[in-house]
């Protein structure tokens, strides 16, 4: 959902700015777009960490069939912590950026661009905090939004494989549950690889700009910033597609929802049996895929009456 917000709001603003050299929504877009982009990195980072912890719990559980189903309130609480934490850590971006104007040497027209410069109207204490954040921004990006999710995911995967190789090697090998566990681990690894590849150019550009910015022209800096945003939009476009393709129960549910919306959700007697079978298969696969215990069917009642 956050990737959709990035593509829906930030992408049109960036495209409009590159075409017209005017900033859509003015100073507000200069503050909101970086805030949403950094929040997107935080949401992805903490989500990958949460998925790594979930895989570790799945590996250390005695039996998947005895694991209790996680309550909806618990899931919503975890999502709230991820989202609120990501947006809280991105609040300095709102105070760091502001709109600036410059005269183009080629056309002679006035161009608008966003500059990383705290406003002098801020209170002294907040202004000093924003300056501290600006000076440490490069290493904060590199440590929290690049090293943390990659190292955390790799460590959880290594520990999970170690535990499964020593304790549950004979139980999970060849079983359907073991195959689903391996499939989910591969999904998390694929998401981490995509995230790492798409955030590497931004971190490299940040380090280069931090140490070579006095020797670089404004056109070069703008080009590097545009490349960073392109990789961010690419990550936001690829991640949902990759998740729907690799996570079969989620992808099947998404396709069923799309087909239901396209067909108007009308009852069809010819396909009712097929849809029921497909729903049953999806529920069974999702129950195994997400470590939910299967519900035992109710006992058959005797036909007839006591008389």
């Amino acid at each position: 959902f956050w990737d959709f917000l990035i593509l829906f709001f930030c992408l049109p603003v960036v495209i409009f700015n590159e075409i017209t050299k005017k900033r859509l929504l003015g100073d507000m877009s200069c503050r909101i777009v970086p805030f949403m982009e950094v929040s997107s990195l935080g949401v992805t980072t903490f989500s990958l960490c949460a998925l790594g912890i979930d895989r570790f719990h799945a590996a250390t559980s005695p039996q998947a069939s005895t694991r209790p189903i996680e309550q909806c309130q618990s899931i919503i609480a975890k999502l709230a912590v991820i989202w609120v934490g990501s947006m809280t850590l991105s609040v300095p971006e709102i105070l760091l950026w502001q709109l600036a104007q410059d005269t183009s040497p080629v056309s002679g027209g006035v161009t608008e661009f966003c500059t990383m410069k705290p406003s002098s109207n801020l209170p002294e204490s907040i202004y000093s905090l924003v300056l501290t954040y600006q000076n440490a921004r490069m290493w904060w990006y590199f440590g929290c939004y690049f090293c943390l999710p990659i190292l955390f995911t790799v460590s959880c995967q290594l520990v999970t494989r170690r535990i499964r190789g020593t304790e549950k090697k004979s139980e999970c090998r060849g079983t359907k549950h073991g195959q689903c566990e391996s499939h989910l681990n591969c999904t998390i690894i694929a998401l981490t690889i995509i995230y790492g590849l798409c955030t590497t150019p931004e971190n490299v550009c940040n380090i280069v700009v931090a140490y070579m910015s006095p020797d670089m022209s404004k056109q070069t800096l703008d080009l590097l910033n545009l490349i960073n945003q392109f990789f961010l939009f690419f990550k936001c476009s690829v991640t949902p597609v990759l998740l729907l393709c690799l996570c079969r129960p989620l992808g099947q549910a998404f396709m069923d929802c799309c087909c239901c919306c396209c067909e108007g959700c009308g009852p069809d007697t010819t396909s009712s049996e097929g849809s029921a079978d497909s729903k049953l298969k999806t529920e069974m696969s999702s129950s195994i895929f997400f470590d939910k215990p299967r519900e035992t069917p109710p006992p058959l009642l005797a036909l007839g009456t006591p008389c």
Side-chain angles (χ1 to χ4, degrees), residues 91-152:
V91 168
E93 296 289 331
I94 300 178
L95 306 176
L96 183 61
W97 295 86
Q98 61 178 334
L99 184 66
Q101 295 181 348
D102 192 11
T103 302
S104 176
V106 179
S107 62
V110 178
T111 60
E112 297 180 348
F113 62 94
C114 297
T115 179
M116 189 185 300
K117 182 180 179 181
S119 177
S120 58
N121 298 328
L122 294 174
E124 185 65 27
S125 57
I126 298 179
Y127 184 80
S128 61
L129 290 176
V130 176
L131 282 180
T132 304
Y133 173 80
Q134 181 181 359
N135 296 329
R137 186 174 184 267
M138 176 189 66
W139 296 113
W140 170 254
Y141 255 66
F142 182 73
C144 182
Y145 298 135
F146 182 76
C147 295
L148 177 63
I150 294 178
L151 294 179
F152 201 93

Side-chain angles (χ1 to χ4, degrees), residues 7-297:
L7 296 176
F8 181 78
F9 181 79
C10 299
L11 182 59
V13 172
V14 173
I15 294 177
F16 182 84
N17 184 36
E18 291 299 321
I19 294 177
T20 63
K21 300 303 178 182
K22 298 293 183 180
R23 198 69 185 182
L24 188 65
L25 301 179
D27 185 70
M28 185 177 69
S29 66
C30 285
R31 302 175 185 273
I32 298 299
V33 170
F35 169 76
M36 294 185 64
E37 292 177 349
V38 177
S39 298
S40 173
L41 298 178
V43 169
T44 307
T45 295
F46 300 136
S47 297
L48 290 175
C49 294
L51 290 173
I53 295 175
D54 179 75
R55 291 300 89 208
F56 177 77
H57 287 167
T60 55
S61 62
Q63 290 292 336
S65 58
T66 60
R67 293 185 64 196
I69 300 177
E70 190 170 5
Q71 299 296 327
C72 181
Q73 292 82 357
S74 175
I75 299 177
I76 293 178
K78 293 178 181 179
L79 293 177
V81 169
I82 292 175
W83 278 48
V84 173
S86 302
M87 290 187 290
T88 302
L89 294 176
S90 305
V91 168
E93 296 289 331
I94 300 178
L95 306 176
L96 183 61
W97 295 86
Q98 61 178 334
L99 184 66
Q101 295 181 348
D102 192 11
T103 302
S104 176
V106 179
S107 62
V110 178
T111 60
E112 297 180 348
F113 62 94
C114 297
T115 179
M116 189 185 300
K117 182 180 179 181
S119 177
S120 58
N121 298 328
L122 294 174
E124 185 65 27
S125 57
I126 298 179
Y127 184 80
S128 61
L129 290 176
V130 176
L131 282 180
T132 304
Y133 173 80
Q134 181 181 359
N135 296 329
R137 186 174 184 267
M138 176 189 66
W139 296 113
W140 170 254
Y141 255 66
F142 182 73
C144 182
Y145 298 135
F146 182 76
C147 295
L148 177 63
I150 294 178
L151 294 179
F152 201 93
T153 303
V154 171
S155 301
C156 289
Q157 291 296 324
L158 292 177
V159 173
T160 300
R161 291 180 181 272
R162 178 75 175 178
I163 294 176
R164 288 194 174 278
T166 56
E167 297 182 0
K168 298 187 176 182
K169 188 174 182 180
S170 59
E171 298 178 5
C172 294
R173 178 174 295 181
T175 62
K176 190 172 183 179
H177 179 266
Q179 295 175 358
C180 292
E181 287 290 334
S182 301
H183 191 269
L184 185 54
N185 290 332
C186 293
T187 302
I188 298 176
I189 293 176
L191 294 175
T192 306
I193 292 175
I194 292 295
Y195 178 76
L197 292 177
C198 293
T199 54
T200 297
E202 182 175 6
N203 288 276
V204 173
C205 291
N206 289 338
I207 296 176
V208 171
V209 169
Y211 291 100
M212 299 180 60
S213 57
D215 302 331
M216 302 175 67
S217 62
K218 183 178 180 301
Q219 290 76 12
T220 304
L221 295 175
D222 293 340
L223 179 60
L224 293 177
N225 186 33
L226 185 61
I227 292 175
N228 296 335
Q229 289 183 325
F230 168 78
F231 277 100
L232 176 63
F233 296 144
F234 179 77
K235 188 267 296 182
C236 294
S237 304
V238 171
T239 300
V241 177
L242 180 67
L243 186 60
L244 291 176
C245 292
L246 294 181
C247 185
R248 287 171 292 182
L250 182 61
Q252 183 64 37
F254 181 78
M255 294 302 298
D256 292 342
C257 182
C258 292
C259 294
C260 180
C261 294
C262 293
E263 297 176 0
C265 298
D268 189 0
T269 56
T270 58
S271 60
S272 60
E273 183 177 356
S275 62
D277 293 341
S278 114
K279 182 178 180 182
L280 179 60
K281 291 179 181 179
T282 303
E283 291 178 353
M284 293 178 63
S285 61
S286 63
S287 64
I288 300 175
F289 196 80
F290 294 105
D291 303 318
K292 293 180 179 179
R294 296 184 181 180
E295 296 180 358
T296 57

